[in-house]
Amino acid sequence: MKKILAIVLSLMLVCASFGALADGQKVGVSMPTKDLQRWNQDGENMQKQLEAAGYTVDLQFASNDVQQQLNQVTNMINSGCEVLVIAAIEGSSLGSALDLAKEKGIPVIAYDRLLMESDGVSYYATFDNYMVGQVQGNFIKEKLDLDNADGPFVMEITAGDPGDNNANFFYSGAMDVLKPYIDAGKIVVVSGQIDFSAVATPTWKTEIAQQRADSIISSYYADGTNIDAWLCSNDSTALGVTNALEANYDGTWPIITGQDCDISNVKNMIAGKQAMSVFKDTRTLAAQVVKMVGQILAGETVDVNDTETYNNNKIVVPSFLCAPVFADVNNYEALLVDSGYYTADQLK
């Protein structure tokens, strides 16, 4: 009996030791900034779910400072992180850190923004960013009834950060829907600003989007010309456009698109100032990344559903794409409140 107890005790100690080792595995999570609501939510969701799964989490925000993010990621590597999850400020800015991670055998998951120009990226987890743009473009197409109405309709465009690879996907998805109507004259962009380089918004800043929208409105719409739609790639740029319209525009209120369902923008949807926002439930993305982290650390096959689309100019990065949906005044309660993403009080 003593011998059996000793064996059992020994096995318990081994299991306890293994469990402690697994529980102590360290995961580094690098987010670009706290200035945008969505990155705070992403970071919090990631940390909460990783810690619930038993991992130690080093969560850092880089204040939209590329050098600061590079330093933080390098420190994560040198402090014993076994997997890195990185949402880059600029996709091509972390090359030296990614080289170091590869040298040390540390897998890297690019989170929502593809890490470019490096073969040190193991996986990419995001929403289908091209589909996000398609959702926005199709929303405008349906609301204006472009296939049946005579038109022409007036539209302006505000895209995202040229340093963020996702911004190109958002823009391309929407423009693949809307450009044929522009070419046919059914949609008219009065400012003439159509190309991505002309409509991009550095760092997705609300203030930059507002300044550009102010300039467009004062230059092209002071005569009372109506704007029927304003394609905005995300909520921070949509907020800038909304602010500019409220200050300087006297025409019929346009359809304004967005993305992320930030609280201020949902309030604007309820108030009739923003028509829609693409909802990317960060809880879903965080859960998928936690699953991928666990699969990596367990030596299992990592779930991906796209091995062709995301070329970072060095390699095609195996990716997992979550599907986005749109929220508007008709369904925001079911999507955002009933699901527990927000409380009703937060949207008052």
Side-chain angles (χ1 to χ4, degrees), residues 5-139:
L5 288 173
I7 292 172
V8 171
L9 180 60
S10 177
L11 288 171
M12 289 175 65
L13 289 172
V14 170
C15 291
S17 175
F18 179 79
L21 178 63
D23 288 346
Q25 289 175 300
K26 189 175 181 182
V27 179
V29 179
S30 175
M31 295 283 114
T33 180
K34 284 188 171 182
D35 291 343
L36 294 181
Q37 175 192 316
R38 65 128 331 158
W39 295 119
N40 289 306
Q41 289 175 319
D42 283 53
E44 291 170 3
N45 285 332
M46 189 81 59
Q47 183 172 27
K48 184 184 301 182
Q49 294 191 42
L50 283 168
E51 288 178 346
Y55 301 105
T56 298
V57 179
D58 182 2
L59 170 63
Q60 300 287 334
F61 294 86
S63 302
N64 262 335
D65 184 316
V66 171
Q67 186 59 49
Q68 183 174 337
Q69 185 168 43
L70 181 61
N71 293 339
Q72 288 174 342
V73 172
T74 301
N75 289 337
M76 289 176 184
I77 294 169
N78 291 327
S79 68
C81 289
E82 298 181 56
V83 177
L84 298 176
V85 180
I86 302 173
I89 298 167
E90 293 179 2
S92 303
S93 64
L94 300 177
S96 61
L98 297 176
D99 289 344
L100 180 61
K102 182 180 178 182
E103 178 185 325
K104 291 181 175 289
I106 300 172
V108 175
I109 300 174
Y111 184 88
D112 203 43
R113 292 177 172 179
L114 185 60
L115 292 161
M116 304 296 292
E117 311 289 345
S118 174
D119 61 358
V121 188
S122 307
Y123 301 99
Y124 180 35
T126 188
F127 287 85
D128 189 328
N129 297 313
Y130 180 81
M131 186 186 294
V132 168
Q134 286 186 308
V135 169
Q136 294 169 336
N138 280 317
F139 186 90

Side-chain angles (χ1 to χ4, degrees), residues 177-253:
V177 174
L178 298 173
K179 187 67 160 49
Y181 299 99
I182 296 174
D183 293 341
K186 182 71 71 75
I187 293 176
V188 177
V189 180
V190 175
S191 70
Q193 299 175 25
I194 297 174
D195 293 343
F196 179 79
S197 59
V199 301
T201 307
T203 67
W204 299 94
K205 282 284 189 179
T206 295
E207 296 79 8
I208 296 174
Q210 182 171 344
Q211 289 168 6
R212 177 171 167 269
D214 280 332
S215 176
I216 288 173
I217 293 165
S218 61
S219 298
Y220 300 100
Y221 297 96
D223 62 355
T225 299
N226 284 326
I227 307 170
D228 296 297
W230 203 307
L231 172 67
C232 296
S233 288
N234 85 325
D235 279 354
S236 58
T237 57
L239 187 60
V241 168
T242 300
N243 291 342
L245 289 166
E246 288 184 311
N248 300 314
Y249 175 69
D250 295 323
T252 302
W253 197 260

Side-chain angles (χ1 to χ4, degrees), residues 126-128 131-132 278-281 284 305 320-325:
T126 188
F127 287 85
D128 189 328
M131 186 186 294
V132 168
V278 178
F279 180 47
K280 303 189 304 186
D281 193 334
T284 301
N305 56 15
F320 191 97
L321 309 181
C322 301
V325 296

Side-chain angles (χ1 to χ4, degrees), residues 287-309:
Q288 181 59 39
V289 171
V290 170
K291 182 179 180 182
M292 294 169 79
V293 167
Q295 290 169 332
I296 289 170
L297 293 176
E300 299 172 353
T301 300
V302 177
D303 287 350
V304 296
N305 56 15
D306 188 309
T307 57
E308 298 178 358
T309 304

